[in-house]
Amino acid sequence: MKGTELNYGDLEGVFKGLLENKVVDCLIMPRRVGNSVSYMLVRDKDKIATPESVIFAPSFGVNAANIVKGWMIAEKVGIVAKPCEIRAAIELIKLTQLNEDSVLLITVDCAGAFANEVYAANYADIGDHVDSAKIKELAGKGISIRDACAICDNRLADVGDIAIAQAGGEKAVVAGLTEKGEEALSAAGLSLEDKELDRAAEKEKIAAEAKQNLEGLPKISSEEALEEFLRDCIVCKNCRDVCPVCYCKECFFDQPLGNPAGGDLLNLAEARGAIEVPTNQLLYHLTRVYHVSTTCVACGACEDACPKDIPLTRFYPVLAKKVQEVFEYVPGKDAKEPLPFTTYEEDELEECLR
Amino acid sequence: MGEEKGGFEPKIVGFTCNWCTYAGADLAGTSRKKYPPNARLIRMMCTARFDPMFAFKALLNGADGVFISGCHPGECHYIKGNFYARRRIAAMRTILKQLGLDDRVKSYWISASEGVKFANTMKNITEEIRELGPNPMRDKIL
């Protein structure tokens, strides 16, 4: 791996260099708006100001991969985002919803994030960046990271083309993870040297914590519990719309069969005596969890987007993780690894069918 | 219906492939093998046509049991359809297991020459589902 250690203040030059030297045609990167953080699509390098104050900011609003979903364009887009967002972008590449040659994936270390409204409201306490000790301290004050972040074991910048890792103090390591990434950094004007990012011990510690937090989440383990869990769902399908890996152009649940109305609905009610309306609440969530079961990157955008505050992290990421364990598949880890449903082995899985 | 006579007769929806299990059911019939008539077979050209949504929908609409059956792995009429199906069924059943809904879903491999196996499987699944009792979702407003 080739990279270089930079002061926070020098990061601005890296992003400007990427645009200036036409390494990318535009960047999707966080920007600060008052106390909040949101994304911007930037083409003019002069619009980039003090990126070090936002790229590490522990705030999660939308999944950046959802912005570029379906962008089959020739121009090159650089995406500066958290590991879960970059992993979603890699899944989109595999799902042919994103052109691999037209993106430069720049992953930033994440220590866990707060929902963006929580971040903005508590900006004075949280600040521009946090580490695990700070997160514990904030939890003591009742300011907690999102459930999805608490159970995340993939928050170090080790996917995509370029990693921006926190190196302690006000320093960051910028390194190319792929040949494409190294070339991009050189072209942006950085002088690179051999750099090893050995963070196996840290990764293990995060994984152990994440596992403990996952086990601490309440389980949905019966039909009654599932009904209870989804009781307040209004089938607005927001969780689908914000999901970076839910990508069908025409969703079944937007079509007459999946979203019956009028006479169709009356016929269904005739057959069963009475039906729940809005209809297909359970069918929608069961079908959707199956659809994203192998590609869910556990970003938790679904929970954030739920207008009824249903803690969907206990449903989508938790169930998807179990399916991913069956296929020994980590979404977004390797762009070359085929999606589980597009490949098979002749002798496998019989124990799952019993 | 059976229920009126006091006993519970489960309704079972079976998704079967045209080339193996459906032909196996045919063989069971022409061989005069007796088996309970509780399963309603839905013929698909291949188990790869099976979408887990079919099973979810059947269960939510009150089917007491659901099964999927096709050619043995490696013997698919379309060479590899059932390999893909097996992955999808495994994912579906993993999800249902977590939610405690898996006991009403079964999957088998039954070839066109296994008429006896088909008849026995129908006996077994009917008994298993009968023991579980009616699907509670049948009477719910869902």
Side-chain angles (χ1 to χ4, degrees), chain A residues 321-334:
Chain A
K321 244 185 190 118
K322 290 283 175 197
V323 174
Q324 290 158 10
E325 276 167 22
V326 168
F327 296 115
E328 291 168 7
Y329 180 77
V330 180
K333 187 178 156 206
D334 181 356

Side-chain angles (χ1 to χ4, degrees), chain A residues 288-307:
Chain A
R288 204 179 96 72
V289 74
Y290 163 70
H291 280 183
V292 300
S293 61
T294 59
T295 47
C296 171
V297 294
C299 68
C302 45
E303 174 168 333
D304 285 4
C306 180

Side-chain angles (χ1 to χ4, degrees), chain B residues 96-140:
Chain B
L96 290 174
K97 254 176 218 157
Q98 292 300 311
L99 298 172
L101 304 170
D102 188 55
D103 44 0
R104 293 183 187 275
V105 180
K106 316 273 173 200
S107 38
Y108 313 102
W109 309 120
I110 301 172
S111 83
S113 61
E114 293 175 325
V116 176
K117 184 178 175 184
F118 180 84
N120 289 337
T121 307
M122 288 311 105
K123 274 180 211 150
N124 293 342
I125 186 175
T126 308
E127 278 325 300
E128 282 170 47
I129 302 293
R130 200 192 299 276
E131 249 167 64
L132 285 174
N135 182 352
M137 289 185 244
R138 190 193 278 195
D139 296 323
K140 282 187 184 164

Side-chain angles (χ1 to χ4, degrees), chain A residues 14 17-18 21 23-24 76 104 106 161-162 176 178-190 192:
Chain A
V14 178
L18 286 170
N21 297 302
V23 181
V24 292
K76 206 159 180 179
L104 181 70
I106 305 170
D161 300 310
I162 295 171
T178 59
E179 219 167 278
K180 181 167 144 193
E182 286 175 3
E183 279 167 18
L185 286 176
S186 304
L190 284 184
L192 304 179

Side-chain angles (χ1 to χ4, degrees), chain A residues 279-295:
Chain A
T279 187
N280 283 344
Q281 188 192 63
L282 283 163
L283 183 65
Y284 164 73
H285 286 286
L286 284 171
T287 303
R288 204 179 96 72
V289 74
Y290 163 70
H291 280 183
V292 300
S293 61
T294 59
T295 47

Side-chain angles (χ1 to χ4, degrees), chain A residues 227 272 340 345-346 353, chain B residues 60 86-87 93 137 140:
Chain A
E227 269 184 72
R272 293 209 58 181
E345 277 169 39
E346 290 191 6
L353 305 187
Chain B
L60 292 172
R86 182 169 60 187
R87 287 209 151 201
R93 296 197 57 174
M137 289 185 244
K140 282 187 184 164

Side-chain angles (χ1 to χ4, degrees), chain A residues 23-241:
Chain A
V23 181
V24 292
D25 297 298
C26 61
L27 279 169
I28 290 177
M29 62 185 298
R31 63 154 188 157
R32 185 165 289 288
V33 203
N35 288 344
S36 308
V37 172
S38 69
Y39 277 105
M40 65 174 171
L41 172 66
V42 54
R43 299 192 79 142
D44 176 358
K45 71 177 172 59
D46 295 329
K47 300 278 187 199
I48 299 174
T50 62
E52 68 276 9
S53 73
V54 274
I55 58 170
F56 298 114
S59 166
F60 188 101
V62 293
N63 189 312
N66 202 30
I67 302 169
V68 292
K69 182 164 73 185
W71 277 24
M72 300 303 285
I73 55 167
E75 284 187 288
K76 206 159 180 179
V77 193
I79 305 169
V80 186
K82 297 179 184 58
C84 56
E85 299 168 270
I86 300 298
R87 286 190 290 118
I90 292 171
E91 288 301 298
L92 286 174
I93 291 170
K94 292 193 207 178
L95 293 164
T96 64
Q97 299 302 306
L98 191 57
N99 185 357
E100 186 175 12
D101 299 323
S102 75
V103 285
L104 181 70
L105 303 172
I106 305 170
T107 320
V108 182
D109 262 0
C110 175
F114 302 86
N116 58 343
E117 67 275 13
V118 175
Y119 176 77
N122 298 288
Y123 177 59
D125 286 319
I126 300 171
D128 287 344
H129 28 79
V130 291
D131 53 22
S132 51
K134 181 88 189 263
I135 283 176
K136 284 208 179 79
E137 186 196 317
L138 288 163
K141 291 186 198 168
I143 309 167
S144 303
I145 54 169
R146 303 154 71 245
D147 273 353
C149 299
I151 63 166
C152 173
D153 53 4
N154 277 306
R155 56 172 101 121
L156 292 181
D158 54 7
V159 289
D161 300 310
I162 295 171
I164 303 182
Q166 282 176 308
E170 297 275 288
K171 286 188 183 299
V173 170
V174 180
L177 296 169
T178 59
E179 219 167 278
K180 181 167 144 193
E182 286 175 3
E183 279 167 18
L185 286 176
S186 304
L190 284 184
S191 55
L192 304 179
E193 56 205 60
D194 284 326
K195 198 100 204 160
E196 274 316 310
L197 268 178
D198 180 23
R199 302 195 284 177
E202 200 181 341
K203 207 172 161 69
E204 225 166 84
K205 198 176 141 230
I206 293 172
E209 258 174 42
K211 197 167 171 229
Q212 203 185 345
N213 291 337
L214 178 63
E215 280 161 11
L217 279 189
K219 303 258 175 315
I220 309 162
S221 50
S222 67
E223 196 257 322
E224 289 76 25
L226 178 66
E227 269 184 72
E228 167 87 31
F229 179 76
L230 294 172
R231 181 165 298 155
D232 295 329
C233 172
I234 54 169
V235 204
C236 67
K237 301 163 197 155
N238 231 12
C239 47
R240 171 199 70 188
D241 293 342

